Amino acid sequence: MVFSTAGTAKNLSWIARLLRPFGHLSAVDIAPPFDASPVVSKSVSLHTEMVFAKVISGFNLGSQGDVLAEIADRVGSGGLRPIVTRRLDGLTAQNMKIAHELLESRRMIGKIVIVA
């Protein structure tokens, strides 16, 4: 299984080489146009996720609140923690610039938190 969160379409050729036949590709960043032909010959299962899918489709809207409540409970109890690798103190233009530069470097792993 490959879990891809960034650059899936751009990296699909090497992802296809990595996956075994009947493997699974789970991606959260697929946007049209998306050419799945590199993985079709291996009968790979493609799993996608879109945060607003339930809202857009009007599907089981109450369950979205249930999911958010569960996440809040787990964060509150310490069972779920975000991956914070950089903390910047003060909501300033300089800190926002630093945060953007870190993200644009494409070398940032985890989350940047700016504490007001």
Side-chain angles (χ1 to χ4, degrees), residues 16-81:
R17 289 192 305 272
L18 180 70
L19 283 167
R20 293 179 182 169
F22 307 100
H24 297 266
L25 170 57
S26 182
V28 296
D29 70 324
I30 294 177
F34 179 77
D35 177 13
S37 61
V39 294
V40 170
S41 66
K42 290 187 172 183
S43 293
V44 168
S45 296
L46 176 61
H47 309 274
T48 63
E49 179 58 44
M50 199 265 200
V51 171
F52 301 109
K54 289 182 180 182
V55 173
I56 290 169
S57 65
F59 178 80
N60 197 8
L61 296 177
S63 68
Q64 188 74 17
D66 296 339
V67 170
L68 293 173
E70 177 71 19
I71 291 169
D73 287 345
R74 290 184 184 201
V75 169
S77 69
L80 182 65
R81 295 181 325 219

